[in-house]
Amino acid sequence: MMIQHFTFERLYAGEMPGWRLSFYYNREKVTALYHGDGEIEIVQPQSFIITEQLKKDIHELMVFHVYDH
């Protein structure tokens, strides 16, 4: 499975890190919070299980879209 329609937006104004994420995974819409320390907190659906591979994929997307700019 792969992440589709990945979007992110800042949680805070200024330089404080934190983002709200939205993506589809296995045809299921997932929303999450990506904290400044790299922790990923699933918001919806609450029953969603995040695998280590999915965490790695999200970290890679964040590095590409946020930190490499």
Side-chain angles (χ1 to χ4, degrees):
M1 292 285 125
M2 62 186 284
I3 297 171
Q4 297 178 319
H5 305 288
F6 181 80
T7 62
F8 61 94
E9 63 182 90
R10 283 195 167 277
L11 286 176
Y12 313 105
E15 296 298 315
M16 193 168 165
W19 295 266
R20 181 177 320 281
L21 308 178
S22 176
F23 58 91
Y24 283 85
Y25 187 78
N26 197 20
R27 297 183 178 191
E28 184 171 28
K29 184 175 183 180
V30 178
T31 57
L33 301 177
Y34 187 92
H35 298 282
D37 63 0
E39 177 190 356
I40 302 168
E41 177 184 347
I42 300 298
V43 176
Q44 286 290 347
Q46 292 179 345
S47 61
F48 187 81
I49 305 294
I50 188 166
T51 64
E52 288 302 315
Q53 182 60 51
L54 183 55
K55 286 181 187 178
K56 181 181 174 190
D57 293 345
I58 291 170
H59 289 307
E60 288 178 9
L61 285 166
M62 290 302 288
V63 166
F64 178 78
H65 288 294
V66 175
Y67 294 109
D68 274 357
H69 284 271

